[in-house]
Amino acid sequence: MNILIAVDYFPPNGGGGRSYRMAKLATFLTQQGCNVCVLCSDKTVNPDETMLDGAIKENLEIIRIKQSNSLFVKLVKKLLRQIWIGDGGLFFAWQMYSRLCKRQIPIIPDIVFTSSAPYEVHLLGLWLKKRFGFQWVADFRDPYTLNRNYNKRFPVGRWFDRRFEKRIYQQADGIVFNTIANRQQSIETFKLDESATKYTVCQNGFDPEEVVESNIKKEAVSGLVISYIGGWRDDAYENEFINQILREKEYYKEKSICFRFIGNGTEALSGRAEQSDGVIELVGFVPQTALGQYWASTDGVILLLPPSQGYLGWVPQKLYGYMAQRKAILGIVPQGESESYLKEYGCAVMCRPEEFDLRKMVEQLAPLASEVDADEETVSR
C-alpha cells in the first residue's frame, strides 16, 4: 500500500511533540511493508534523528518544502490568519499541492493522510480527493476552532474557519481526533453522526515499547527533584508557577527541593533561574532516547495546564510519558480529560490553575514520591 503523509514538522528536522505522532505512524507503516512519502516543511526545531529509529528507510521518502521567512510573507500570513481559514498556512498548502503536481513522486497514493496544525494542511487532502479521488484521512493532533487557544479578531475569519472545519468532517473518508472529549465535543458542535465509524480517536501518547527504561540507579539523597518535561509555553499561569517558586525559594533550598525544566522553550526561564539560587535547574531540549538519566533522578513530575472552560479534551503528550514512567505527578489542571486520567492514575496531587498553592502541593507530593520509590506497584496499573 502507498501512503502520502502531509505534515508541517517531521524528523530529523523537528523533534518533540510536534513531530512524534507522524514519525511513529510513518515508522509503523514502513515496518508493515507500506511505501510512505512524507511532504513536510524544511523548518528545523529541536532536531532529533532518533525519532525515525526502526523505520525501513527503503520504504520512506521525505520531500521538504522550503519555507520563506521574509517580512512580506510574515505579514501576509498574519493577515490571512485573521480574515481567512487556519493559521496563515495557505502558502504552505499550495506549495505542497504544486510540488505534487509538478514533481513525479515515487508513489501513487492509495491513502492521503493530512495532519494538522497548521490546519490548512487539510486543504491538500480536499484538493487531491476532488481532483484524483484519493482516499483521505484528516488527523487533528489538536482541536481546530474548539481549541482553547483559538482566537480570531474578525468574525469573518471565524465564519470561514467553522465552514472549513465542517467541510473537512464531511469530505474526509476518515477523521482522527486526539482525545475522546475532543471527538465528542466536535460531534456535538458540528452535528455529526456519532455512530459513523469514520470518527476515531488516537491519543498523543507513547507506545509501550517507546518508554525509555533507565539502568541508572537513583542516588539516595534527602532532597526532592521535581521535573517538568516538555515544551514551555511561558504563559501567565506558567509564569505564576515560577513566581511561586521564587517566593518560597528559601524554603525549597532548606528542604533541598529542586525544580528541573527539560524541553524546548525553557531558555525563557534563564533570568529567573539565576534568581533562584539553584532551586530552578534548566536542561533544555533532550531527545526521547536520552531521557533515561533524567527519569532516574526525578522524584516527581509537573503537569501544568491553564484554565480551559468549555474545552475538556486537553491531554498533553507528556502526561502519557509521566504515567508510563510511574512517577508521582503534581497536577495543576482544569476540569476535563486530563483530570480524569490523573484521578484514575491515583498517584497525583491535584489542584485547579486558578487557585493552586505550590508549596502546599509540594508538601503533599513528597511522601507520595517516597511511596512510589518504595513500591512502584502502587502506580503500575
Side-chain angles (χ1 to χ4, degrees):
M1 181 176 285
N2 298 328
I3 311 291
L4 175 67
I5 295 176
V7 66
D8 190 0
Y9 290 94
F10 194 78
N13 282 22
R18 292 181 179 93
S19 53
Y20 185 92
R21 188 175 175 96
M22 288 302 102
K24 293 299 120 181
L25 176 63
T27 298
F28 173 78
L29 290 173
T30 61
Q31 292 173 346
Q32 302 307 305
C34 297
N35 297 310
V36 178
C37 180
V38 178
L39 272 178
C40 59
S41 73
D42 66 342
K43 297 175 184 174
T44 302
V45 179
N46 305 129
D48 185 358
E49 296 185 4
T50 65
M51 293 185 76
L52 289 177
D53 286 353
I56 309 301
K57 300 301 170 60
E58 294 79 12
N59 296 346
L60 177 64
E61 171 145 341
I62 304 171
I63 300 175
R64 300 194 183 275
I65 308 296
K66 184 173 178 58
Q67 298 288 282
S68 172
N69 289 316
S70 69
L71 178 60
F72 173 76
V73 171
K74 289 180 180 179
L75 289 174
V76 173
K77 283 183 176 180
K78 190 173 183 179
L79 178 63
L80 287 175
R81 185 179 293 119
Q82 292 300 329
I83 66 172
W84 205 55
I85 63 171
D87 309 303
L90 176 62
F91 289 156
F92 179 48
W94 179 252
Q95 282 178 295
M96 288 194 294
Y97 182 72
S98 178
R99 187 72 173 268
L100 281 174
C101 294
K102 293 179 179 178
R103 173 177 170 172
Q104 185 69 35
I105 64 172
I107 63 171
I108 297 176
D110 298 296
I111 297 176
V112 176
F113 202 103
T114 57
S115 182
S116 55
Y119 300 95
E120 290 92 336
V121 74
H122 298 306
L123 283 171
L124 182 67
L126 278 169
W127 293 335
L128 292 178
K129 182 175 179 63
K130 182 177 180 179
R131 181 171 179 178
F132 301 107
F134 294 142
Q135 295 287 296
W136 167 40
V137 177
D139 171 58
F140 289 83
R141 183 185 176 273
D142 288 305
Y144 187 1
T145 60
L146 299 181
N147 196 313
R148 69 165 298 276
N149 293 316
Y150 178 77
N151 180 22
K152 286 208 171 179
R153 192 172 304 168
F154 301 111
V156 64
R158 297 194 292 270
W159 183 82
F160 275 126
D161 274 337
R162 282 298 180 105
R163 284 181 62 86
F164 177 48
E165 184 171 2
K166 187 164 187 176
R167 190 178 178 195
I168 295 169
Y169 296 149
Q170 292 172 338
Q171 297 296 318
D173 299 286
I175 301 291
V176 184
F177 297 98
N178 66 331
T179 70
I180 296 170
N182 285 337
R183 176 186 183 274
Q184 189 61 37
Q185 283 190 292
S186 298
I187 286 174
E188 292 173 357
T189 301
F190 291 93
K191 297 179 173 55
L192 309 176
D193 181 5
E194 187 170 4
S195 64
T197 57
K198 78 174 189 176
Y199 302 117
T200 60
V201 174
C202 179
Q203 284 96 343
N204 290 322
F206 290 88
D207 295 328
E209 61 269 20
E210 296 296 324
V211 176
V212 178
E213 296 289 348
S214 174
N215 295 323
I216 305 171
K217 296 294 185 182
K218 185 180 184 301
E219 297 180 6
V221 294
S222 58
L224 197 68
V225 177
I226 307 174
S227 296
Y228 178 97
I229 302 177
W232 183 257
R233 300 181 306 276
D234 203 34
D235 61 24
Y237 290 92
E238 291 186 331
N239 285 326
E240 173 58 22
F241 185 88
I242 300 299
N243 290 338
Q244 289 200 29
I245 294 177
L246 294 178
R247 285 198 293 268
E248 298 284 353
K249 69 177 183 180
E250 297 302 325
Y251 167 79
Y252 295 128
K253 285 171 60 179
E254 180 185 347
K255 298 295 184 179
S256 299
I257 297 173
C258 172
F259 294 88
R260 176 188 290 157
F261 295 85
I262 304 170
N264 55 292
T266 54
E267 61 273 6
L269 299 175
S270 56
R272 283 169 287 181
E274 292 178 3
Q275 300 172 27
S276 73
D277 296 335
V279 172
I280 296 176
E281 176 190 350
L282 303 183
V283 176
F285 176 77
V286 176
Q288 294 288 341
T289 54
L291 280 174
Q293 60 178 312
Y294 298 107
W295 286 124
S297 59
T298 290
D299 300 287
V301 288
I302 302 163
L303 182 66
L304 176 57
L305 300 180
S308 54
Q309 185 175 4
Y311 175 30
L312 304 178
W314 194 356
V315 184
Q317 181 177 330
K318 63 175 69 67
L319 176 55
Y320 301 101
Y322 288 173
M323 293 189 294
Q325 292 292 341
R326 303 182 297 276
K327 295 294 181 180
I329 299 175
L330 191 155
I332 301 172
V333 296
Q335 179 184 7
E337 201 163 337
S338 288
E339 181 185 51
S340 299
Y341 286 174
L342 288 176
K343 287 180 178 178
E344 184 176 351
Y345 179 63
C347 191
V349 175
M350 289 185 291
C351 191
R352 295 290 168 79
E354 302 91 341
E355 55 188 21
F356 73 93
D357 183 322
L358 182 58
R359 176 169 168 174
K360 287 183 179 179
M361 295 183 73
V362 170
E363 290 171 347
Q364 295 170 11
L365 185 76
L368 195 60
S370 300
E371 180 184 346
V372 174
D373 285 339
D375 182 12
E376 291 189 348
E377 289 299 318
T378 59
V379 290
S380 63
R381 54 187 170 86

